[in-house]
Amino acid sequence: MNKNSPTRTVTVRNPEGLHARPADLLVRMASNYQSNILIGRDGELVDCKSILSLLTLGAAQGTVLTVSAEGSDAEEALNAIEDLFEAGFDDKNEAPGTESALDS
Amino acid sequence: MVELQGIPVSPGVAIGPALVLDADGYRIPRTLIAADKAGEEYARLRSAVNAVAKQIEANRLETSAVAGDETGDIFSAQLQMLNDPRLNGELRRRITTDHHAAGYAVNRVLRNYALALRRLENPMLAERAEDVLDIEKQLLLQLGAVTEQPLTALTEPVVILSHNLSPSETANLDRRYVQGFCTEVGGSGGHTAIVAKGLELPAVVGVGTFLDSVVNGTRVIVDGDRGKIILDPDAITLASYKQRIEQSQTLSARLAELRDLPAETADGTRIRLSANIEFPHETGSCLERGADGIGLYRTEFLYLSSTEEPSEQDHYEAYSQVVNEMSGRPVVIRTLDLGADKMGHRPLAEQEYNPFLGLRSIRLSLRNLDLFRPQLRAILRAATHGDIRVMFPLITTIGELRQAKMLLTVVARDLKDEGIPHRADIPVGMMVEVPAAVVMLEHFVKEVDFLSIGTNDLAQYTLAVDRSNEYVADLYQSSDPAVLRLIRRGVDVADDWGRPLAVCGEMSSIPGRALLLVGLGVRNLSVPPLALSRIKKAIRSVSLSECQEIAERVMTLDSARDVDVYLLDRLGVLVPELVVT
């Protein structure tokens, strides 16, 4: 990924960490975008569209992750992902930005 | 013919064709395909993936309908895993570039992911490894690389060869067909060993790596007396083992004649000889061999052998069955000894670095009252049917003992308030299996009705040896002089306070060591049903003074090895027919 690719920092807020259900939601969200998206701790970035890679990050509550995207819709993708983390993956409250992910 | 040495954990000889399992019940050999078949093989994988996807989707719909969307979503995540682009990229690379057979590629790639997940510190994520393995299994079934779990579909006698067998897997072995088993790992004191003895299955563990060289169907001899495995035996060896099976059948027929005779020394000292059981159905083999009672009922196997968590009623029914069938003979129920190598249905403790020093046994029960209470209620209820006594395991501090006794009182009061028939006055005992309890025994003994020494754990904690770790298995000896001194102290304290003391560890089931215990002053022994006749035979063949001489001499020795050599020598003189050659 290009050094100049847009990058954000997100924090895992939900108590159970990035376990199966949030990872599933995150992959669905990321898969809606053309961009190549990477996520992880410093130096350990994995494919955001691969649930197995996300799970192996072992990200517990409070973990700070870096997300970067490269492609035509990079900024939109990052916005959506940021919202998903902000909302703590709480789909029950219809957090902004998750509707499309859930419908996919 | 190949002969391998392991650790004998359950006596007897088994001969039969090998059934080789890997850790999860099947085994995928490294298989390569011709380069020009790679496209075809990849297409085969794709159609397997599609078929499994359909199954998972069907599971999701069905589960959601029954258990709600939250539960159904488990399958949604599984589907996501199955369609994972990284996973599929790697599978494609292995098949089209490395020319792996689809089954082998699936096995390698998914196992690696499962391993990575298991290594995570977070137990919740580590559990997702099970989902990955579930997908692996479904794909392998689709690809025809494995057939349904071989263990549940046996039709012919087999000898199981496996990397490892958990206590629950062992408990669920189909006794109609499984003749015996052998594992690469494991030690003599592990619970798998105890279950094997309970099931009377000849078993050898801790053989080391050898499965790679064994083909299914190879004739195997498991020598559970001497810890040997013989692959593809020659005609002479086979004939000599067949003869041994016959001889042991003759010996057990002769021992069976002792059934109605009491376990007393030649000069009339009565020893109470009881049995250790894991399952209610074992009472039959205890009575057949004339047991004086059940000295140790390991109730946690109620958890390990069923697929659902047992209810109070399940406990009650199991205990009632045991006490009814033992008609009047005492039954000592040990409360749940879960944790460490015996886990139930839920992850009760997060990953522990030293599980045997961790949240196990009484510690775990006292922290999980929703587990402990139903058991205590069931014990008090079943006590209306006969002589039931309750025993708390792994007591280390006086506080634990008091807490457990307090809970028993509370539970009794609840039952009274609810008007449910029960008995509140049953004898309460504790296991003496932590050195701290031996050291402080004067304080414990005042607060219990009886004591029972568990030599397996006592040896493990005294000698600082993990009893299920094959690397240090040779250090684990209940005949170690340090352990013997603790036992002698236990006997002295119990005598001073007039409390009955039993020894219920595996130690009592070895004839020479049993005689030593009698010589040390132990008057209650509890052994696996299979060992009842042998121990009774040993006791009836000696006088008390002979046992006391053995004890006196043994207490001057300074190593387990010297103790065992001496005991074997005495046994050879006093009860030669029990010496295994």
Side-chain angles (χ1 to χ4, degrees), chain A:
Chain A
M1 192 153 296
N2 193 316
K3 256 189 218 165
N4 302 322
S5 309
T7 297
R8 304 278 171 85
T9 304
V10 292
T11 305
V12 180
R13 299 197 185 279
N14 52 315
E16 288 144 338
L18 198 55
H19 67 104
R21 191 182 167 82
D24 185 16
L25 288 173
L26 181 55
V27 171
R28 285 162 186 245
M29 167 72 75
S31 303
N32 289 338
Y33 300 91
Q34 302 289 324
S35 296
N36 187 14
I37 307 169
L38 295 183
I39 185 168
R41 297 185 185 84
D42 291 334
E44 190 203 345
L45 296 183
V46 301
D47 184 350
C48 195
K49 296 175 185 173
S50 160
I51 188 169
L52 289 166
S53 305
L54 290 178
L55 290 174
T56 48
L57 285 175
Q61 184 179 26
T63 307
V64 177
L65 297 171
T66 306
V67 198
S68 65
E70 189 178 61
S72 54
D73 51 8
E75 286 293 344
E76 293 133 280
L78 289 178
N79 286 339
I81 288 170
E82 205 172 20
D83 287 347
L84 196 56
F85 273 92
E86 277 304 309
F89 294 94
D90 190 357
D91 54 303
K92 276 174 236 133
N93 295 341
E94 296 291 328
T98 58
E99 291 89 343
S100 62
L102 284 172
D103 292 342
S104 68

Side-chain angles (χ1 to χ4, degrees), chain A residues 16 18-21 24 27-28 47 49-53 55-56 58-60 92, chain B residues 70 73 76-77 80-81 84-87 110 113 116-117 120 122 124-125 128 132:
Chain A
E16 288 144 338
L18 198 55
H19 67 104
R21 191 182 167 82
D24 185 16
V27 171
R28 285 162 186 245
D47 184 350
K49 296 175 185 173
S50 160
I51 188 169
L52 289 166
S53 305
L55 290 174
T56 48
K92 276 174 236 133
Chain B
E70 294 267 336
D73 279 352
S76 164
Q80 194 71 261
M81 290 179 190
D84 190 297
R86 294 275 149 180
L87 171 71
L110 284 155
Y113 275 114
L117 289 172
L120 295 174
N122 182 334
M124 190 143 175
L125 285 174
R128 298 281 69 79
V132 174

Side-chain angles (χ1 to χ4, degrees), chain B residues 34 82-83 87 98 153 177 194 199 224 274 283 322-323 326 355 380 386 396 402 482-483 502 519 566:
Chain B
L82 185 67
N83 292 324
L87 171 71
D98 301 345
Y177 301 113
I194 294 172
L199 296 172
S274 310
T283 51
V322 171
V323 73
M326 293 308 291
L380 296 180
T396 308
R402 288 177 184 155
V483 180
Y566 172 73

Side-chain angles (χ1 to χ4, degrees), chain B residues 199-239:
Chain B
L199 296 172
E200 306 183 2
L201 271 179
V204 174
V205 304
V207 176
T209 309
F210 77 103
L211 290 178
D212 283 345
S213 57
V214 189
V215 179
N216 270 332
T218 308
R219 181 181 273 144
V220 188
I221 299 175
V222 174
D223 180 345
D225 300 316
R226 287 179 287 190
K228 280 190 188 139
I229 292 297
I230 300 157
L231 303 169
D232 196 16
D234 59 34
I236 299 168
T237 311
L238 187 62

Side-chain angles (χ1 to χ4, degrees), chain B residues 48 83 110 119 168 229 248 253 266-267 295-296 299 326 356 475 502 524:
Chain B
N83 292 324
L110 284 155
R119 284 202 186 118
S168 51
I229 292 297
S248 81
D267 50 355
L296 172 63
T299 54
M326 293 308 291
F356 278 103
L475 294 173
N524 295 277

Side-chain angles (χ1 to χ4, degrees), chain B residues 75-137:
Chain B
F75 294 104
S76 164
Q78 273 200 5
L79 205 56
Q80 194 71 261
M81 290 179 190
L82 185 67
N83 292 324
D84 190 297
R86 294 275 149 180
L87 171 71
N88 284 291
E90 201 171 338
L91 288 173
R92 180 160 63 191
R93 185 185 60 73
R94 283 192 182 242
I95 295 171
T96 57
T97 313
D98 301 345
H99 304 144
H100 288 171
Y104 181 62
V106 163
N107 177 246
R108 293 317 322 148
V109 174
L110 284 155
R111 286 294 164 111
N112 284 341
Y113 275 114
L115 197 64
L117 289 172
R118 274 191 184 146
R119 284 202 186 118
L120 295 174
E121 296 284 321
N122 182 334
M124 190 143 175
L125 285 174
E127 273 171 48
R128 298 281 69 79
E130 299 311 313
D131 288 317
V132 174
L133 293 176
D134 196 11
I135 292 172
E136 182 216 7
K137 197 169 127 196

